[in-house]
Structure formats: C-alpha cells, structure tokens
Amino acid sequence: MAMDNTVTITGNITRDPELRFTPGGSAVTTFGLAWNRRWQNRQTNETEEQTSFFDVTCWNTLAENVSESLVKGNRVVVNGRLEQRSWETQDGERRSKVEIIADEVSPSLRWASAEVIRNERRDSGSGGGNRYQNAGGRPQRNDSERNESGGWQQGSAQTPEYNIDEEPF
C-alpha cells in the first residue's frame, strides 16, 4: 500500500528566506511559515484564532528563486512533503522536528499581485562558466550581478550541478 505524504499550506513568511550552500555546492533555502486558523466559538460567540508555525526547506533552483523573490511577510502557497529530522544537542538531549520540504512555492494572489519573470533554463551539462565565484570552495554570488532593484540579473551562465540527496550541513 503506497502512502502519500503531500501537504499544501498557505501562510505568511515569518523570517526572510536564508540561502546557504552545502559543501558540495547545492543551494538550500530555509524560511518560517505561519498558518492562521480562525473560527467562531459557538458558546461565547467570539472569534478565536490559532497559529501554527512551520519550517520550510527548499533545494536547488527553487531555493535560489525563493531567496531572490520572497521576504518576511509575503503570503505564499507551499506544496511539498513532511519530513522528520532528529539530532542530538551538545548537552546530549535528543531533539526532533517536522519540517516541510518544498516542491513548489508561489506567492498567494488573494490579496496581492505579482509580476512573473521567467528565468532562463539552466543546463545541467558541462562547459561554460557559472554565475558563482568560488570562495573557499563554497559557491557565492557575485554582487556585481545584482540589478537596480537588488535582484539578480538574468544571464546565460550556468549553476553548479546539484545532488538532491545532499544534506545542508
């Protein structure tokens, strides 16, 4: 029996997306998402609210696009899967959390409008330069590639190849 682990959540970004790179060069972006649920309490006739918070992780091209396009406060729709991660603290305590590994992230257009700019297709083949400058073996963007609005200029340069199974630590 196959089990489906798909989740779609619409909410507000609680912290600016943070772009990092794995030692192997894979882009990974994380951000927080808050989802609010409101309902009318039938006994008191008052509106009640509950907020749930989620950590969202994006990989590869999605990671780069999210970090270039979204900021704290944006309302987004996230589609992905739930994944539990466990670790041990320096004090030896076991911790775990469930996060959303995003397949798609898009701005919600319920109360906002957006301009969609299609990125050039990025080949996974070899050859050509890439739009990163290597610094200590870790890919970094070249700030001269920023446009007037602070975003990244479109170019024909290629990004490094990614291994989707790589962990961001």
Side-chain angles (χ1 to χ4, degrees):
M1 170 185 232
M3 303 206 57
D4 194 15
N5 180 17
T6 302
V7 61
T8 301
I9 296 179
T10 302
N12 295 328
I13 295 177
T14 61
R15 63 183 184 275
D16 284 336
E18 178 184 348
L19 176 64
R20 297 180 307 174
F21 293 89
T22 65
S26 294
V28 60
T29 293
T30 57
F31 63 92
L33 186 73
W35 174 74
N36 296 322
R37 183 174 85 100
R38 292 187 181 133
W39 68 93
Q40 183 84 24
N41 183 321
R42 293 182 186 207
Q43 294 174 344
T44 64
N45 274 341
E46 293 190 23
T47 302
E48 295 189 22
E49 182 175 342
Q50 176 185 4
T51 304
S52 297
F53 296 93
F54 301 93
D55 287 324
V56 180
T57 301
C58 307
W59 286 92
N60 305 322
T61 303
L62 177 61
E64 294 178 41
N65 290 340
V66 164
S67 72
E68 293 172 7
S69 305
L70 300 173
V71 295
K72 178 180 177 179
N74 288 149
R75 187 169 178 81
V76 295
V77 180
V78 175
N79 181 271
R81 69 182 189 279
L82 297 175
E83 194 167 282
Q84 183 172 358
R85 198 162 51 93
S86 299
W87 68 95
E88 191 171 307
T89 67
Q90 291 179 346
D91 298 333
E93 296 179 40
R94 293 289 298 160
R95 299 279 173 96
S96 68
K97 73 175 184 174
V98 175
E99 58 190 347
I100 300 170
I101 307 300
D103 293 321
E104 297 279 346
V105 177
S106 59
S108 170
L109 302 180
R110 186 170 183 182
W111 294 295
S113 62
E115 179 182 353
V116 177
I117 301 170
R118 186 178 174 121
N119 291 338
E120 289 186 26
R121 187 176 185 124
R122 297 173 181 161
D123 295 334
S124 61
S126 62
N130 70 40
R131 62 184 181 150
Y132 298 101
Q133 291 180 327
N134 284 333
R138 181 175 165 177
Q140 296 290 326
R141 289 200 184 268
N142 179 347
D143 281 338
S144 68
E145 295 178 14
R146 284 194 179 270
N147 62 28
E148 291 175 7
S149 64
W152 300 104
Q153 295 177 9
Q154 300 300 314
S156 61
Q158 298 172 346
T159 58
E161 291 187 36
Y162 299 127
N163 177 356
I164 197 160
D165 296 327
E166 223 173 344
E167 288 294 321
F169 305 100

Tab-separated table of all heavy atoms in Angstrom, residues 57-96:
chain	number	residue	atom	x	y	z
A	57	THR	N	11.980	24.068	3.894
A	57	THR	CA	13.281	23.921	3.257
A	57	THR	C	13.080	23.751	1.757
A	57	THR	O	12.248	22.945	1.326
A	57	THR	CB	14.039	22.696	3.817
A	57	THR	OG1	14.203	22.877	5.227
A	57	THR	CG2	15.393	22.527	3.167
A	58	CYS	N	13.845	24.518	0.979
A	58	CYS	CA	13.802	24.454	-0.483
A	58	CYS	C	15.199	24.100	-0.985
A	58	CYS	O	16.188	24.562	-0.423
A	58	CYS	CB	13.408	25.802	-1.088
A	58	CYS	SG	11.893	26.495	-0.419
A	59	TRP	N	15.275	23.347	-2.048
A	59	TRP	CA	16.558	22.913	-2.604
A	59	TRP	C	16.755	23.422	-4.022
A	59	TRP	O	15.797	23.669	-4.749
A	59	TRP	CB	16.630	21.381	-2.617
A	59	TRP	CG	16.832	20.797	-1.263
A	59	TRP	CD1	15.869	20.390	-0.381
A	59	TRP	CD2	18.081	20.554	-0.618
A	59	TRP	NE1	16.451	19.916	0.764
A	59	TRP	CE2	17.796	19.993	0.639
A	59	TRP	CE3	19.403	20.755	-0.996
A	59	TRP	CZ2	18.806	19.631	1.536
A	59	TRP	CZ3	20.402	20.388	-0.108
A	59	TRP	CH2	20.097	19.835	1.130
A	60	ASN	N	18.005	23.557	-4.417
A	60	ASN	CA	18.450	23.779	-5.785
A	60	ASN	C	17.888	25.062	-6.391
A	60	ASN	O	17.949	26.112	-5.757
A	60	ASN	CB	18.158	22.534	-6.624
A	60	ASN	CG	18.774	21.288	-6.004
A	60	ASN	OD1	19.867	21.349	-5.469
A	60	ASN	ND2	18.068	20.180	-6.038
A	61	THR	N	17.364	24.998	-7.600
A	61	THR	CA	16.861	26.187	-8.283
A	61	THR	C	15.711	26.823	-7.509
A	61	THR	O	15.616	28.047	-7.419
A	61	THR	CB	16.415	25.841	-9.717
A	61	THR	OG1	17.521	25.256	-10.411
A	61	THR	CG2	15.959	27.080	-10.466
A	62	LEU	N	14.830	25.998	-6.928
A	62	LEU	CA	13.735	26.535	-6.115
A	62	LEU	C	14.300	27.352	-4.961
A	62	LEU	O	13.806	28.444	-4.664
A	62	LEU	CB	12.841	25.410	-5.585
A	62	LEU	CG	11.706	25.834	-4.660
A	62	LEU	CD1	10.733	26.778	-5.378
A	62	LEU	CD2	10.983	24.610	-4.111
A	63	ALA	N	15.361	26.866	-4.335
A	63	ALA	CA	15.996	27.587	-3.228
A	63	ALA	C	16.474	28.957	-3.678
A	63	ALA	O	16.261	29.966	-2.998
A	63	ALA	CB	17.170	26.775	-2.668
A	64	GLU	N	17.126	29.012	-4.817
A	64	GLU	CA	17.635	30.285	-5.326
A	64	GLU	C	16.503	31.239	-5.666
A	64	GLU	O	16.542	32.421	-5.313
A	64	GLU	CB	18.505	30.037	-6.553
A	64	GLU	CG	19.772	29.272	-6.226
A	64	GLU	CD	20.609	28.990	-7.448
A	64	GLU	OE1	20.730	29.897	-8.299
A	64	GLU	OE2	21.144	27.879	-7.554
A	65	ASN	N	15.464	30.742	-6.335
A	65	ASN	CA	14.339	31.596	-6.728
A	65	ASN	C	13.582	32.131	-5.515
A	65	ASN	O	13.184	33.301	-5.487
A	65	ASN	CB	13.393	30.841	-7.652
A	65	ASN	CG	13.999	30.578	-9.016
A	65	ASN	OD1	14.957	31.240	-9.428
A	65	ASN	ND2	13.462	29.601	-9.718
A	66	VAL	N	13.391	31.299	-4.499
A	66	VAL	CA	12.702	31.740	-3.281
A	66	VAL	C	13.519	32.832	-2.594
A	66	VAL	O	12.984	33.869	-2.198
A	66	VAL	CB	12.445	30.548	-2.331
A	66	VAL	CG1	12.087	31.021	-0.927
A	66	VAL	CG2	11.328	29.669	-2.885
A	67	SER	N	14.834	32.626	-2.468
A	67	SER	CA	15.653	33.616	-1.766
A	67	SER	C	15.727	34.934	-2.522
A	67	SER	O	15.866	35.997	-1.919
A	67	SER	CB	17.061	33.079	-1.509
A	67	SER	OG	17.808	33.008	-2.695
A	68	GLU	N	15.618	34.895	-3.836
A	68	GLU	CA	15.679	36.113	-4.653
A	68	GLU	C	14.339	36.833	-4.726
A	68	GLU	O	14.299	38.029	-5.009
A	68	GLU	CB	16.116	35.765	-6.078
A	68	GLU	CG	17.536	35.265	-6.168
A	68	GLU	CD	17.890	34.737	-7.550
A	68	GLU	OE1	17.070	34.867	-8.485
A	68	GLU	OE2	18.989	34.188	-7.692
A	69	SER	N	13.238	36.121	-4.461
A	69	SER	CA	11.913	36.663	-4.748
A	69	SER	C	11.066	37.007	-3.528
A	69	SER	O	10.190	37.859	-3.624
A	69	SER	CB	11.114	35.651	-5.587
A	69	SER	OG	11.815	35.299	-6.750
A	70	LEU	N	11.279	36.336	-2.414
A	70	LEU	CA	10.353	36.461	-1.290
A	70	LEU	C	11.030	37.042	-0.061
A	70	LEU	O	12.233	36.902	0.120
A	70	LEU	CB	9.766	35.084	-0.960
A	70	LEU	CG	8.989	34.417	-2.104
A	70	LEU	CD1	8.612	32.991	-1.732
A	70	LEU	CD2	7.762	35.227	-2.478
A	71	VAL	N	10.237	37.687	0.786
A	71	VAL	CA	10.729	38.280	2.036
A	71	VAL	C	9.716	38.024	3.140
A	71	VAL	O	8.579	37.623	2.895
A	71	VAL	CB	10.972	39.809	1.901
A	71	VAL	CG1	12.091	40.114	0.920
A	71	VAL	CG2	9.691	40.523	1.516
A	72	LYS	N	10.152	38.294	4.360
A	72	LYS	CA	9.289	38.183	5.532
A	72	LYS	C	8.000	38.965	5.288
A	72	LYS	O	8.020	40.086	4.791
A	72	LYS	CB	10.019	38.745	6.753
A	72	LYS	CG	9.206	38.726	8.022
A	72	LYS	CD	10.011	39.298	9.176
A	72	LYS	CE	9.164	39.350	10.428
A	72	LYS	NZ	9.926	39.867	11.566
A	73	GLY	N	6.873	38.349	5.634
A	73	GLY	CA	5.580	38.999	5.481
A	73	GLY	C	4.831	38.589	4.235
A	73	GLY	O	3.605	38.708	4.192
A	74	ASN	N	5.535	38.094	3.204
A	74	ASN	CA	4.853	37.651	1.991
A	74	ASN	C	3.926	36.484	2.299
A	74	ASN	O	4.256	35.604	3.086
A	74	ASN	CB	5.837	37.195	0.917
A	74	ASN	CG	6.609	38.312	0.259
A	74	ASN	OD1	7.746	38.108	-0.141
A	74	ASN	ND2	6.027	39.488	0.117
A	75	ARG	N	2.748	36.509	1.669
A	75	ARG	CA	1.818	35.381	1.777
A	75	ARG	C	2.135	34.435	0.622
A	75	ARG	O	2.200	34.848	-0.531
A	75	ARG	CB	0.382	35.885	1.701
A	75	ARG	CG	-0.650	34.817	1.959
A	75	ARG	CD	-2.027	35.466	2.133
A	75	ARG	NE	-3.049	34.473	2.328
A	75	ARG	CZ	-3.308	33.871	3.481
A	75	ARG	NH1	-2.595	34.175	4.547
A	75	ARG	NH2	-4.270	32.978	3.585
A	76	VAL	N	2.358	33.149	0.954
A	76	VAL	CA	2.766	32.172	-0.054
A	76	VAL	C	1.957	30.889	0.063
A	76	VAL	O	1.333	30.618	1.097
A	76	VAL	CB	4.274	31.822	0.058
A	76	VAL	CG1	5.140	33.027	-0.254
A	76	VAL	CG2	4.612	31.254	1.415
A	77	VAL	N	1.987	30.115	-1.005
A	77	VAL	CA	1.418	28.779	-1.038
A	77	VAL	C	2.595	27.819	-1.188
A	77	VAL	O	3.386	27.952	-2.119
A	77	VAL	CB	0.435	28.606	-2.217
A	77	VAL	CG1	-0.138	27.189	-2.232
A	77	VAL	CG2	-0.673	29.647	-2.155
A	78	VAL	N	2.719	26.887	-0.253
A	78	VAL	CA	3.815	25.920	-0.264
A	78	VAL	C	3.231	24.530	-0.458
A	78	VAL	O	2.306	24.132	0.254
A	78	VAL	CB	4.619	25.962	1.053
A	78	VAL	CG1	5.688	24.876	1.082
A	78	VAL	CG2	5.241	27.339	1.261
A	79	ASN	N	3.775	23.808	-1.434
A	79	ASN	CA	3.392	22.426	-1.681
A	79	ASN	C	4.640	21.581	-1.517
A	79	ASN	O	5.692	21.929	-2.069
A	79	ASN	CB	2.804	22.270	-3.089
A	79	ASN	CG	2.379	20.849	-3.343
A	79	ASN	OD1	3.162	20.040	-3.801
A	79	ASN	ND2	1.138	20.547	-3.029
A	80	GLY	N	4.559	20.516	-0.738
A	80	GLY	CA	5.721	19.673	-0.528
A	80	GLY	C	5.378	18.453	0.284
A	80	GLY	O	4.245	17.982	0.274
A	81	ARG	N	6.381	17.961	1.008
A	81	ARG	CA	6.191	16.770	1.830
A	81	ARG	C	6.683	17.051	3.246
A	81	ARG	O	7.542	17.898	3.449
A	81	ARG	CB	6.920	15.573	1.229
A	81	ARG	CG	8.417	15.657	1.297
A	81	ARG	CD	9.109	14.458	0.628
A	81	ARG	NE	10.519	14.461	0.890
A	81	ARG	CZ	11.415	15.177	0.249
A	81	ARG	NH1	11.030	15.981	-0.714
A	81	ARG	NH2	12.684	15.107	0.556
A	82	LEU	N	6.147	16.323	4.202
A	82	LEU	CA	6.593	16.438	5.584
A	82	LEU	C	7.768	15.487	5.804
A	82	LEU	O	7.771	14.362	5.300
A	82	LEU	CB	5.463	16.064	6.543
A	82	LEU	CG	4.235	16.962	6.501
A	82	LEU	CD1	3.151	16.407	7.424
A	82	LEU	CD2	4.592	18.381	6.890
A	83	GLU	N	8.745	15.971	6.542
A	83	GLU	CA	9.901	15.146	6.845
A	83	GLU	C	10.331	15.401	8.287
A	83	GLU	O	10.426	16.551	8.698
A	83	GLU	CB	11.042	15.482	5.887
A	83	GLU	CG	12.160	14.474	5.885
A	83	GLU	CD	13.087	14.689	4.716
A	83	GLU	OE1	12.735	14.291	3.599
A	83	GLU	OE2	14.167	15.276	4.946
A	84	GLN	N	10.573	14.328	9.018
A	84	GLN	CA	11.028	14.463	10.397
A	84	GLN	C	12.545	14.373	10.427
A	84	GLN	O	13.144	13.525	9.774
A	84	GLN	CB	10.436	13.381	11.286
A	84	GLN	CG	10.839	13.543	12.729
A	84	GLN	CD	10.109	12.585	13.651
A	84	GLN	OE1	9.273	11.815	13.228
A	84	GLN	NE2	10.431	12.642	14.925
A	85	ARG	N	13.148	15.272	11.178
A	85	ARG	CA	14.599	15.324	11.323
A	85	ARG	C	14.920	15.211	12.806
A	85	ARG	O	14.273	15.846	13.633
A	85	ARG	CB	15.110	16.647	10.754
A	85	ARG	CG	16.567	16.674	10.435
A	85	ARG	CD	16.905	17.826	9.491
A	85	ARG	NE	16.426	19.127	9.901
A	85	ARG	CZ	17.138	19.994	10.619
A	85	ARG	NH1	18.335	19.683	11.040
A	85	ARG	NH2	16.651	21.170	10.919
A	86	SER	N	15.922	14.405	13.151
A	86	SER	CA	16.331	14.223	14.550
A	86	SER	C	17.803	14.551	14.697
A	86	SER	O	18.586	14.353	13.777
A	86	SER	CB	16.090	12.777	14.999
A	86	SER	OG	14.736	12.451	14.906
A	87	TRP	N	18.178	15.043	15.893
A	87	TRP	CA	19.570	15.351	16.181
A	87	TRP	C	19.769	15.315	17.684
A	87	TRP	O	18.817	15.213	18.452
A	87	TRP	CB	19.969	16.703	15.598
A	87	TRP	CG	19.314	17.874	16.260
A	87	TRP	CD1	19.827	18.643	17.264
A	87	TRP	CD2	18.021	18.419	15.980
A	87	TRP	NE1	18.932	19.629	17.621
A	87	TRP	CE2	17.820	19.513	16.842
A	87	TRP	CE3	17.001	18.091	15.082
A	87	TRP	CZ2	16.645	20.261	16.834
A	87	TRP	CZ3	15.837	18.833	15.076
A	87	TRP	CH2	15.675	19.905	15.946
A	88	GLU	N	21.027	15.376	18.087
A	88	GLU	CA	21.370	15.401	19.497
A	88	GLU	C	22.021	16.736	19.819
A	88	GLU	O	22.899	17.194	19.095
A	88	GLU	CB	22.333	14.246	19.815
A	88	GLU	CG	22.529	14.026	21.290
A	88	GLU	CD	23.294	12.747	21.573
A	88	GLU	OE1	22.871	11.687	21.070
A	88	GLU	OE2	24.311	12.842	22.287
A	89	THR	N	21.595	17.374	20.906
A	89	THR	CA	22.155	18.664	21.303
A	89	THR	C	23.526	18.448	21.936
A	89	THR	O	23.922	17.316	22.225
A	89	THR	CB	21.239	19.391	22.318
A	89	THR	OG1	21.243	18.639	23.539
A	89	THR	CG2	19.837	19.552	21.789
A	90	GLN	N	24.233	19.555	22.178
A	90	GLN	CA	25.539	19.474	22.828
A	90	GLN	C	25.421	18.893	24.234
A	90	GLN	O	26.377	18.343	24.764
A	90	GLN	CB	26.193	20.851	22.880
A	90	GLN	CG	26.598	21.367	21.524
A	90	GLN	CD	27.217	22.756	21.598
A	90	GLN	OE1	27.122	23.435	22.606
A	90	GLN	NE2	27.857	23.163	20.510
A	91	ASP	N	24.242	19.036	24.845
A	91	ASP	CA	24.002	18.501	26.190
A	91	ASP	C	23.585	17.032	26.160
A	91	ASP	O	23.268	16.456	27.201
A	91	ASP	CB	22.912	19.310	26.903
A	91	ASP	CG	23.307	20.763	27.092
A	91	ASP	OD1	24.523	21.039	27.157
A	91	ASP	OD2	22.391	21.608	27.170
A	92	GLY	N	23.522	16.436	24.962
A	92	GLY	CA	23.161	15.025	24.831
A	92	GLY	C	21.670	14.757	24.755
A	92	GLY	O	21.240	13.606	24.794
A	93	GLU	N	20.867	15.814	24.645
A	93	GLU	CA	19.416	15.641	24.545
A	93	GLU	C	19.029	15.334	23.102
A	93	GLU	O	19.551	15.933	22.171
A	93	GLU	CB	18.686	16.912	24.986
A	93	GLU	CG	18.879	17.278	26.434
A	93	GLU	CD	18.143	18.567	26.775
A	93	GLU	OE1	17.014	18.761	26.288
A	93	GLU	OE2	18.719	19.386	27.508
A	94	ARG	N	18.100	14.390	22.927
A	94	ARG	CA	17.588	14.078	21.590
A	94	ARG	C	16.486	15.066	21.244
A	94	ARG	O	15.599	15.335	22.056
A	94	ARG	CB	17.029	12.658	21.524
A	94	ARG	CG	18.057	11.573	21.689
A	94	ARG	CD	19.000	11.405	20.523
A	94	ARG	NE	18.315	11.037	19.299
A	94	ARG	CZ	18.840	11.210	18.097
A	94	ARG	NH1	20.029	11.737	17.954
A	94	ARG	NH2	18.179	10.867	17.030
A	95	ARG	N	16.537	15.637	20.069
A	95	ARG	CA	15.517	16.570	19.588
A	95	ARG	C	15.053	16.107	18.214
A	95	ARG	O	15.800	15.453	17.484
A	95	ARG	CB	16.080	17.984	19.456
A	95	ARG	CG	16.590	18.591	20.732
A	95	ARG	CD	15.437	19.156	21.545
A	95	ARG	NE	15.870	19.591	22.852
A	95	ARG	CZ	16.187	20.825	23.174
A	95	ARG	NH1	16.143	21.778	22.272
A	95	ARG	NH2	16.550	21.115	24.410
A	96	SER	N	13.860	16.482	17.855
A	96	SER	CA	13.369	16.215	16.511
A	96	SER	C	12.332	17.266	16.144
A	96	SER	O	11.753	17.916	17.028
A	96	SER	CB	12.775	14.811	16.400
A	96	SER	OG	11.589	14.717	17.144
